[in-house]
Amino acid sequence: MDLWSLTVKNAGGSPCLLGSSFREVCGQSGRGAAAAAAAAGSRVFEISAFKKRRPCHAPRPVPHRSLAVRALAKKNNGSNSSSPGNGDHSTPDSSDGNRSNDTASQKSNHKNLDWREFRATLFAREQAENTESEAHNKDEGHHGSKPLGIKWAHPIPVPETGCVLVATEKLDGVRTFERTVVLLLRSGTRHPQEGPFGVVINRPLNKKIKHMNPTNLDLATTFADCSLHFGGPLEASMFLLKSGEKAKLPGFEEVIPGLCFGARNNLDEAAALVKKGVLKPQDFRFFMGYAGWQFDQLREEIESDYWHVAACSSNLICGGSSNSSSGLWEEILQLMGGHYSELSRKPKQDM
């Protein structure tokens, strides 16, 4: 579906907690925009979030407030489903981007909406409300909620495309994944035979492509001065490209707003964009290898406490400013707060 509009209404302007209300309201008579959308072949979804009432023993009663989010979307004429290959560990490619909806591209001349920032704001407000509740119980002063920072990270319950997997202390001593941050390029939920895969984004090799004497002409010329990173133990070369606020780039698959990925079969298209001046070589980050899992393997590893699953701001993912492998790992855990922040300060465990 192509996102057309998102309307948020907060009756009280106070921090809200996401509830479990998510329902389709398309087609119901007397619903105004919903009814009009139904007539136009669109679908309307409504998500409701309710502020929890303060317990009766709280010092001051707080009235009930709610937040409603309504999203209006229109069905694509084509199918959105795709598969990377025949097996769980097939070499990933971004050929699905060639089948991206043309109508969406035409409507993408406005700034990309990162819905994850909206969710992060709700999470931050919920955390602030919990802190406020504890402060009231202790008769401490009220400090109010802080706006969402430029850099943010918070835990999420299940993996999703564009999330990060943060290695736990259980992977200390496992050289391949010790204190790594893996960006999930696909979550493996779009096709029963597709396994999730991603790249390690905090393992720079301190080498440039030209140092590897590449045989590919585009790598040897256009991308010769691009940096190389260790992406994972499985054999395939991949790259990330920062598209910024540009319209969707045909042939590349978007991971989060402003960031796409490609594989070796996309090098021609990538080099053409550089030669046309649409992108610069500095917008690309190349990876040797990638990390992949079978369909249920990643879920089992998360349940066994090998990975923390988190959403984080795009500047953390795209930054790559730290030369230390553990720098990004520590920063994300600290931004997640609570016991995650404590884990970031623990020394490595000897295995």
Side-chain angles (χ1 to χ4, degrees):
M1 292 190 299
D2 305 323
L3 187 62
W4 279 14
S5 64
L6 180 65
T7 304
V8 182
K9 182 179 180 181
N10 186 347
S14 62
C16 300
L17 295 175
L18 280 176
S20 59
S21 175
F22 178 77
R23 59 196 181 95
E24 185 174 357
V25 298
C26 177
Q28 298 180 19
S29 60
R31 291 305 296 265
S42 300
R43 302 172 70 189
V44 176
F45 294 91
E46 186 175 86
I47 307 171
S48 297
F50 300 95
K51 179 181 175 68
K52 291 182 178 179
R53 291 182 182 272
R54 194 175 300 281
C56 58
H57 61 272
R60 295 191 303 272
V62 178
H64 181 85
R65 295 186 177 94
S66 65
L67 174 143
V69 181
R70 180 170 294 174
L72 173 64
K74 186 174 182 179
K75 288 183 179 179
N76 289 335
N77 293 328
S79 172
N80 284 333
S81 61
S82 61
S83 173
N86 296 325
D88 293 317
H89 282 170
S90 59
T91 301
D93 63 71
S94 61
S95 56
D96 290 348
N98 292 319
R99 298 194 294 271
S100 61
N101 188 278
D102 293 335
T103 303
S105 298
Q106 295 170 2
K107 292 180 180 293
S108 296
N109 53 2
H110 56 80
K111 182 178 179 179
N112 289 334
L113 172 66
D114 191 345
W115 63 270
R116 301 173 319 116
E117 290 186 5
F118 172 75
R119 180 180 61 182
T121 300
L122 290 181
F123 183 87
R125 288 179 178 175
E126 180 177 353
Q127 295 298 103
E129 184 182 65
N130 292 338
T131 303
E132 177 187 352
S133 178
E134 293 175 1
H136 279 305
N137 292 336
K138 296 179 180 179
D139 294 328
E140 296 178 358
H142 169 59
H143 301 287
S145 60
K146 296 180 179 179
L148 190 67
I150 297 176
K151 292 184 177 182
W152 52 263
H154 65 83
I156 56 176
V158 294
E160 63 188 25
T161 298
C163 77
V164 292
L165 307 174
V166 185
T168 71
E169 64 271 23
K170 280 192 174 183
L171 288 174
D172 283 355
V174 180
R175 186 174 180 180
T176 303
F177 289 114
E178 181 180 68
R179 304 212 164 186
T180 55
V181 176
V182 179
L183 172 64
L184 212 59
L185 303 179
R186 286 191 195 160
S187 59
T189 57
R190 294 192 297 175
H191 192 282
Q193 294 181 336
E194 177 185 279
F197 63 85
V199 289
V200 177
I201 59 174
N202 65 328
R203 284 279 182 88
L205 294 175
N206 299 317
K207 292 182 179 180
K208 294 183 178 181
I209 290 179
K210 62 185 178 183
H211 297 148
M212 306 302 293
N213 298 319
T215 57
N216 180 278
L217 181 61
D218 292 324
L219 292 176
T221 56
T222 306
F223 301 112
D225 289 319
C226 291
S227 59
L228 272 176
H229 300 255
F230 170 76
L234 301 180
E235 292 185 6
S237 297
M238 308 189 71
F239 61 84
L240 296 176
L241 64 97
K242 292 188 288 186
S243 58
E245 297 180 9
K246 300 177 182 66
K248 289 185 178 180
L249 301 174
F252 300 96
E253 188 170 337
E254 189 175 70
V255 184
I256 59 174
L259 184 70
C260 303
F261 84 89
R264 192 175 186 86
N265 61 317
N266 303 115
L267 281 174
D268 291 342
E269 294 95 329
L273 289 173
V274 174
K275 292 172 183 177
K276 291 177 182 178
V278 177
L279 296 173
K280 299 177 181 179
Q282 295 87 341
D283 294 326
F284 291 79
R285 211 170 4 153
F286 287 82
F287 297 85
M288 295 181 62
Y290 74 102
W293 294 264
Q294 295 179 355
F295 186 71
D296 291 327
Q297 183 183 5
L298 178 59
R299 176 180 56 81
E300 293 171 357
E301 290 186 7
I302 293 170
E303 291 175 353
S304 299
D305 199 28
Y306 286 101
W307 302 99
H308 298 306
V309 187
C312 65
S313 56
S314 58
N315 51 13
L316 286 171
I317 295 172
C318 302
S321 58
S322 176
N323 294 323
S324 169
S325 297
S326 60
L328 182 62
W329 180 86
E330 293 173 353
E331 187 173 13
I332 290 177
L333 286 175
Q334 289 170 8
L335 288 169
M336 290 170 69
H339 71 281
Y340 299 103
S341 180
E342 297 175 5
L343 289 175
S344 71
R345 294 186 289 270
K346 280 189 175 181
K348 288 184 181 180
Q349 296 183 7
D350 295 327
M351 303 298 287

